Amino acid sequence: MLWIDFRNPDNFEQSVESLVKEITATCGDKVAEVALKVTSNETKQLVVPQKGRAFIHISTNKYLAETGEVITHWGSGSRSTLTVRDTAEDTSFWIQESQKGKEIVLFKNYHSQGYLGYDPNGDFIYTKPDHYGAEEWILMTDETDDTGKRAVVIFANYGKRYLTVRDGRLTGVSDVSTDCRWYLH
């Protein structure tokens, strides 16, 4: 899935930068550094971190991150809790693993190696070492965003909820709305 919005000419540079980041993230370690010709007089170096990407909640401008707190779930063992933070930290970066032939993706935390999951019964966002159905996501492009950044909506395939932040807390909601939007960084 690749969607970068070039409709707004005022955000052309941001759109090109987002496109370069998306291609670099998709290529992994094959492309570590890209020289981008921004104007005829300026070349901009973009180095995309190879440790994954961060999710920034658009409405709050906060980063999805693990808290470091681990709880025990009666049915599936240890789970790490998640929150949103003002700045990116070690646990804010995610590696996207695609399932061949499917739109399903898994998000693995670069730092902890835990998979992002959603428990619809407890409305709980977490990470855990293994992945099953509750750790499967669908990443959808937010075509309403015209900033030139990579805007997405994250849908929990098993729980049938959209990932968002409400009242400062991560949650899943059944209907997509403007507060369900995230930037990939």
Side-chain angles (χ1 to χ4, degrees), residues 37-174:
K37 191 89 166 169
V38 178
T39 67
S40 57
N41 300 327
E42 177 187 6
T43 299
K44 186 173 187 178
Q45 290 296 112
L46 291 179
V47 178
V48 178
Q50 298 302 309
K51 62 180 184 179
R53 304 162 85 175
F55 291 107
I56 305 168
H57 186 249
I58 294 176
S59 299
T60 63
N61 202 36
K62 293 183 182 251
Y63 291 81
L64 178 66
E66 286 187 340
T67 64
E69 178 186 355
V70 177
I71 62 168
T72 302
H73 182 268
W74 64 270
S76 62
S78 297
R79 294 179 174 184
S80 297
T81 60
L82 277 88
T83 189
V84 286
R85 304 264 194 224
D86 290 331
T87 57
E89 52 192 47
D90 285 344
T91 65
S92 298
F93 296 94
W94 303 87
I95 300 165
Q96 181 177 323
E97 296 179 1
S98 298
Q99 302 291 310
K100 282 197 182 239
K102 297 182 181 178
E103 62 184 344
I104 303 294
V105 294
L106 305 170
F107 297 109
K108 187 177 191 179
N109 188 277
Y110 178 81
H111 182 73
S112 72
Q113 299 295 296
Y115 288 93
L116 180 66
Y118 175 68
D119 179 354
N121 299 319
D123 191 30
F124 184 62
I125 317 299
Y126 61 87
T127 60
K128 68 178 201 172
D130 300 315
H131 62 84
Y132 301 102
E135 292 76 38
E136 294 180 347
W137 300 85
I138 298 174
L139 191 64
M140 297 178 268
T141 299
D142 174 29
E143 295 182 18
T144 65
D145 188 86
D146 66 354
T147 63
K149 296 180 182 178
R150 183 72 152 81
V152 296
V153 175
I154 307 167
F155 182 73
N157 190 50
Y158 174 77
K160 305 300 182 208
R161 297 281 189 266
Y162 297 92
L163 182 62
T164 190
V165 177
R166 297 243 171 113
D167 299 321
R169 179 181 168 276
L170 285 164
T171 188
V173 295
S174 57

